Amino acid sequence: MTDTPTPLTIWFLNGPNANLYGLDASKNYGTDSFPVLQSRCERKAASLCVELRFLQSNYEGQLIDWIQEARGVADGIVINAAGLTYTSIPILDALMSFPGKIVEAHMSNIWKREPFRHHSYISKVADGVIAGLGGDGYEFAIEAVARLARKHPHAAA
Ligand code: DHK
């Protein structure tokens, strides 16, 4: 007999320009469009008994508002803050106020790229980082944060 896993709520936050994935000429972010990535993540989440809120904004303040809203609601956050990863102390501060688990995700391997992408403020608070594996990495990130949240539950709601 297999036990049903505890249901979890995970928020997946995507930063500036993520809506263009699959459409950018560089193909740094693979060929899956953003809606395709979203459906892949939702399918993966459902298979793990995770309710997923998949969000994207080009605005730093909106991402901060969502992180604050996630307090007391979400068991974990997956975040790809995109270009804000390297600049945003306010996003770092908001994440520091979040009591659940945090996984940082990037489509590309940021350490293989330009030096300005090598320092992440998000990593200061992330429990783990997944980069360079494209859409597969997004699915791994959801599984990782769910496993962490189930191992170390906090009072989400
Ligand atoms: C996405 C972006 O938009 C860039 O600004 C980051 C990240 C890398 C990614 O690989 O998902 O530098």
Side-chain angles (χ1 to χ4, degrees):
M1 194 177 86
T2 47
D3 292 335
T4 311
T6 323
L8 294 174
T9 300
I10 304 292
W11 287 23
F12 197 134
L13 306 181
N14 296 277
N17 304 304
N19 50 312
L20 299 181
Y21 288 161
L23 305 177
D24 70 307
S26 71
K27 293 287 175 264
N28 272 322
Y29 309 116
T31 52
D32 281 353
S33 67
F34 192 69
V36 166
L37 281 172
Q38 175 165 1
S39 333
R40 286 183 61 177
C41 288
E42 285 168 352
R43 258 199 315 275
K44 178 68 180 181
S47 77
L48 297 168
C49 204
V50 165
E51 188 189 314
L52 189 71
R53 197 160 172 219
F54 195 83
L55 299 162
Q56 189 273 331
S57 178
N58 291 331
Y59 300 97
E60 184 176 23
Q62 176 63 81
L63 293 162
I64 293 164
D65 283 348
W66 283 332
I67 295 164
Q68 291 186 7
E69 280 170 39
R71 297 169 75 227
V73 177
D75 300 283
I77 288 176
V78 178
I79 183 163
N80 182 353
L84 294 168
T85 302
Y86 320 106
T87 61
S88 183
I89 295 170
I91 289 180
L92 169 64
D93 287 343
L95 288 169
M96 285 169 78
S97 77
F98 178 73
K101 295 294 169 188
I102 299 169
V103 170
E104 175 180 0
H106 299 283
M107 295 286 282
S108 63
N109 180 349
I110 56 175
W111 299 282
K112 234 175 148 180
R113 300 182 64 192
E114 307 93 321
F116 62 81
R117 295 182 206 270
H118 296 177
H119 175 269
S120 160
Y121 282 108
I122 312 288
S123 295
K124 301 257 167 256
V125 72
D127 294 287
V129 181
I130 293 177
L133 302 173
D136 290 345
Y138 275 22
E139 294 189 28
F140 298 150
I142 292 166
E143 179 152 6
V145 79
R147 283 186 186 215
L148 286 166
R150 287 195 171 109
K151 261 188 226 154
H152 309 281
H154 77 288

